[in-house]
Amino acid sequence: MENVLKRPIITEKVTAQNKKGQYGFEVSMNANKIEIKKAVEKLYGVTVTAVNTMRCIGHMKSKSTKKGAVTAGRTSTWKKAIVTVADGEIIDIYAEA
């Protein structure tokens, strides 16, 4: 359970959800909702009411180099969890850094 949470997601869209008590985290690919809930409750000391998970599928990317060649690769697939905490509770992500 130590490596369930990788990092918090700090984007404009997820930050807007913070007002509703929802926070985003990048999690391990093999973590389930129960493990994610326990990890967030232990790390931040809040009560989690819901956990929604989604897999973000990697996609193809290509770029041109200085020599004129084109290199292609694939971004990695990762898993995201949106955690909803109880009313009145907040997670201060910036205090943990």
Side-chain angles (χ1 to χ4, degrees):
M1 192 166 75
E2 299 167 358
N3 298 330
V4 173
L5 298 177
K6 292 186 177 179
R7 65 179 180 91
I9 299 172
I10 304 171
T11 60
E12 188 174 350
K13 189 173 185 178
V14 173
T15 305
Q17 290 180 323
N18 290 355
K19 296 173 187 162
K20 297 188 287 184
Q22 295 180 332
Y23 299 89
F25 294 94
E26 181 179 342
V27 296
S28 175
M29 282 293 288
N30 56 1
N32 60 30
K33 292 182 180 185
I34 297 168
E35 292 173 342
I36 295 167
K37 178 180 177 179
K38 288 179 182 177
V40 171
E41 287 178 344
K42 182 179 177 185
L43 186 62
Y44 294 104
V46 294
T47 305
V48 175
T49 58
V51 177
N52 298 75
T53 60
M54 58 201 85
R55 291 175 58 228
C56 300
I57 307 298
H59 56 276
M60 296 297 294
K61 291 184 84 170
S62 61
K63 66 177 182 177
S64 299
T65 62
K66 289 182 180 179
K67 303 269 186 193
V70 176
T71 58
R74 186 169 186 87
T75 61
S76 57
T77 300
W78 55 288
K79 190 171 187 178
K80 174 168 52 173
I82 303 297
V83 176
T84 305
V85 298
D87 290 337
E89 293 187 350
I90 60 168
I91 296 176
D92 192 6
I93 294 171
Y94 300 105
E96 298 295 322

